[in-house]
Amino acid sequence: MSLAVRAPAATRRPPARLPSAPVRSLVRALVIIAPASLTAALGLWGIRRQNTMWGDEAVTYQLAQREPSQIWDTVQQVDLVHALYYAVMHVIFELFGPGLLSLRLPSVLAMSAAAGGVGLLGLRLAGPRAGMLAGLVFALLPQVQKYSQEGRSYAMVCALIAWATYTLVANVARRGRWRWTVYGLTMLLACLLHEFAVLALAAHGVTLIVSRTPKELLRAWSVAAAGVVTGLLPLVVVSAGQSEQVSWIGGPVRPYYLLVAVIVGVACARAPLRSDGPVRLAALAVPILVLPGALLLTASLVKPLFVDRYLLFSNIGVALLVGAWLEYVHRLPRYSRTAHIAAAAALVALVPPSLSLRTPQSRSNDVTAIGAAVREAARPGDGLVHLAGRHRVLAATYPGDSRQLTDLALTQGPVESNTLAGIELPARDIAARMMRFHRIITVRVAREDSLSDPQEKAKTDTLERHFREYATTRVNGARITVYVRDDGTSAKAGPPAQRP
């Protein structure tokens, strides 16, 4: 005889009813659309940045306008890691024409897709409210706002990693060979856009191990990961010969944002966050937030490589953790009001940096201002010298700015030579050519360059010995100086072209 006591029918709880399929589909759509829409709105807000462009964007702008064969010949010498991105932007420029909107809109759309992916991840791992909050938090993060308006590959990489991560979680719940193929191809595409996306692959492996995933799933992931690494290996081997292009990294560049995000994320992970399914939210979010940065900082002890934008995808982790934490606090009545006040204060605190990100000063240089300063200082027949020559790209974005000037060091232009900055004359020829001019305009970047290069030393020595500084204009990221010959010909210089 059974000893189980059945509750009276009147007091027995009815089983919880799951939402109908149309309702689930609607919720799913909202969790994707709302964060994506907010991200798009923030990306379009001030997207022109007062019609200015900075150096890395200028490289994209110039290379994407070259023919595919020229792009390929150029990346054999420099910037191979961005070859796929330049090819994509070339197609976009062909369809819509070159311009600031064509340059930056792909990043806006990519970051919107990333926000939708984060929202969907949160929904799958912790429910619809956590997913919605995670997606909205992601859209509001300052670094996300910054690089959604950047004519570089980082937003595209972030979007691909967000959706690859969602595919990974779906693969654990529903097994299928084709899903692992989708995951592998998505991760490979992200890595081909930027090599350091492979760090997210390592984070995914840690997630599966921490989640105690069955061996057959670990084997499936290992096969997919091996395919990604194999596909990426040729790019890594060839681009290793172009390591000089990251020689400017003297130490970790802006690591503080990541450190703050890690502290906030780990603090949120300490709460008993809700998590549904075989993969727990913290087990996914913490590795993708912490591990890539830790690996890159460790590698920087040997060779400096850490730059904050290389790890833009780490924001996926902090957004998931903060979104789940907000959902957890919301379920605690005694903390609900405090949480709302804290959220409102955080939104208010985001206003100043959000406004600042949409100004020219938010970037390390301003090629538009540099070109305008050169144009205003120029007179027909003046000479032009870039200090150093590799920064010629900063003043070459708009050729009309220096059309009436003679580039004294240049023997072959960037397009003709399939390079970023062109090919310069030997040091002796540069000095001799400079001596034939009475007025020379120099463009010197704010970051001082070593004089070990004989061509740069020839430029500097000639200016110091035979010219005097006549007028200088400082703009964001560069100094434009007018020099006149110090041999009695200075009267020909006329009044200052710029205020000292």
Side-chain angles (χ1 to χ4, degrees), residues 9 119 168 171 181 263 291 306 455:
L168 177 78
N171 288 347
T181 303
I263 292 170
L291 186 62
F306 186 97
Q455 292 157 307

Side-chain angles (χ1 to χ4, degrees), residues 190-203:
C191 292
L192 292 176
L193 282 170
H194 199 279
E195 291 175 348
F196 289 155
V198 75
L199 298 173
L201 191 69

